[in-house]
Amino acid sequence: MIRALRILHFSDIHIGMHIRHMHWKKWFSKRAVGAINLFRGRGKYFDEAEQKMQALARFKEQNDIDLVINTGDYTALGLERELQLAKKVIEPMMNAPDGYLTVPGNHDIYVSEVKSQQRFSELFSEVLQSDIPEYCSDGHWPLVRLIRDDSAVIAINSARPNPLPWRSNGNIPQSQLDAFASILRDQRLKKRFIFVVTHYAPRLANGADDTRLHGMVNADDFLGVCQKIDYGAILCGHVHQTYHVNVNELRSDIYCAGSAVMSGHEGFWVYERQGNSIEAFRGYWDGARCEYSIRRN
């Protein structure tokens, strides 16, 4: 009997550099607000992010993970040194047999700098190659990965710079939504179980919309395209809460990974996919043993 495809999905590790390393020019932007929030205590929740990622890498090896998916927010302030450090921290996660797939989070392209957007693409270029590149309408996106003979991952970029300090919402450009709809009609995806990956959560744990200033602005349009999926799941992050929600009009449930490393809120998902369905197991952090485990129902 062929073993089920096993996928690890984590998000929002928010690797940060000490504020003293931030060049003075960077303070004249939204990063100043982010830095103040770190000073006021938000940063302490991610103090052990590197050690916890080492533990998650051990978990990956011990649990025979085939594919790893990261739904973004590698950094705290979108600094180049943060992103480089985050890449180094997650490198042990990138050697899974069926690969590693990722999208940027809003913290990774924190402000309106052309370089900040190019930096992510350059640093992760080796894992941002699509198996069906003709559908890439917005840089690397949408990105399609065909997994084995019966699964596919479609990665869509919903993150964008938010220079206004009170806004952290996301939006999927129409060109990506149009390409996404075309991908779902492609015969190469017929009868495959489809994982749709994006940073922003299209619905909260209670099934409601996120706020206008924090959520995916065009979530209804995105979910409208997702209605065309017969067998699939929608994977996201951004909201620092690990949850699973079923939306009535969808055949694809939504799984938010939350944050794998946020103190007191650590979580992630492991999916086992076989046939036309998946079994999802929630990941937990055991602080006493300094290791991760999953709860099987």
Side-chain angles (χ1 to χ4, degrees):
M1 182 177 178
I2 299 176
R3 183 174 68 81
L5 176 70
R6 190 168 294 162
I7 300 170
L8 169 63
H9 168 210
F10 72 100
S11 194
D12 291 68
I13 62 174
H14 290 292
I15 299 294
M17 300 295 294
H18 196 284
I19 301 304
R20 70 172 182 267
H21 294 300
M22 194 165 83
H23 192 278
W24 67 269
K25 289 183 179 179
K26 304 294 185 182
W27 286 91
F28 295 96
S29 70
K30 184 182 177 179
R31 286 197 179 102
V33 176
I36 290 170
N37 285 335
L38 294 177
F39 273 131
R40 292 175 64 185
R42 186 177 186 272
K44 69 182 180 182
Y45 291 105
F46 298 92
D47 281 347
E48 298 177 342
E50 294 179 49
Q51 297 91 323
K52 289 176 180 177
M53 286 307 301
Q54 292 171 0
L56 192 59
R58 294 194 298 271
F59 173 91
K60 174 183 75 75
E61 296 300 327
Q62 294 164 359
N63 288 273
D64 298 319
I65 298 297
D66 300 304
L67 173 67
V68 177
I69 294 174
N70 183 339
T71 43
D73 270 359
Y74 288 80
T75 67
L77 299 175
L79 297 169
E80 182 174 7
R81 292 182 65 183
E82 286 181 334
L83 198 57
Q84 290 171 344
L85 176 58
K87 171 74 178 301
K88 183 177 180 180
V89 167
I90 59 91
E91 277 181 347
M93 311 295 291
M94 298 176 70
N95 62 358
D98 286 287
Y100 177 90
L101 194 140
T102 191
V103 292
N106 57 301
H107 279 258
D108 304 323
I109 48 176
Y110 203 52
V111 295
S112 297
E113 297 174 352
V114 174
K115 286 185 178 179
S116 73
Q117 299 177 64
Q118 294 176 340
R119 193 178 299 134
F120 185 90
S121 294
E122 292 171 357
L123 200 60
F124 290 98
S125 61
E126 71 270 28
V127 295
L128 296 180
Q129 304 307 311
S130 179
D131 290 336
I132 314 181
E134 58 265 35
Y135 289 114
C136 297
S137 63
D138 183 17
H140 296 283
W141 322 103
L143 185 156
V144 182
R145 192 75 55 78
L146 303 177
I147 309 296
R148 301 184 181 179
D149 295 326
D150 53 7
S151 301
V153 182
I154 304 174
I156 298 171
N157 181 19
S158 56
R160 62 181 180 180
N162 274 297
L164 298 176
W166 56 85
R167 194 179 74 185
S168 58
N169 57 18
N171 181 75
I172 300 173
Q174 188 62 46
S175 61
Q176 286 194 54
L177 289 176
D178 292 342
F180 178 28
S182 297
I183 291 167
L184 295 179
R185 295 191 294 268
D186 193 298
Q187 289 299 304
R188 287 168 287 188
L189 275 77
K190 189 176 182 181
K191 296 183 178 180
R192 290 179 181 263
F193 189 95
I194 297 174
F195 294 93
V196 182
V197 174
T198 195
H199 178 63
Y200 281 83
R203 291 289 187 268
L204 298 177
N206 61 1
D209 294 336
D210 201 345
T211 65
R212 186 78 178 172
L213 295 178
H214 185 263
M216 183 190 295
V217 173
N218 57 345
D220 288 346
D221 294 336
F222 168 64
L223 293 178
V225 180
C226 291
Q227 287 182 15
K228 301 172 184 177
I229 300 172
D230 292 323
Y231 310 107
I234 301 167
L235 314 186
C236 59
H238 188 58
V239 179
H240 293 171
Q241 177 186 358
T242 306
Y243 62 86
H244 162 221
V245 62
N246 174 266
V247 179
N248 289 336
E249 65 267 23
L250 295 175
R251 291 184 289 270
S252 303
D253 286 2
I254 298 170
Y255 295 86
C256 180
S259 171
V261 301
M262 184 178 180
S263 180
H265 301 272
E266 300 93 344
F268 59 93
W269 288 103
V270 171
Y271 313 110
E272 290 186 356
R273 198 223 52 75
Q274 202 162 38
N276 293 330
S277 63
I278 62 171
E279 192 169 5
F281 306 97
R282 183 173 174 174
Y284 293 86
W285 171 250
D286 185 337
R289 300 172 62 185
C290 295
E291 65 181 32
Y292 289 97
S293 60
I294 55 175
R295 183 172 296 169
R296 293 181 178 270
N297 297 326

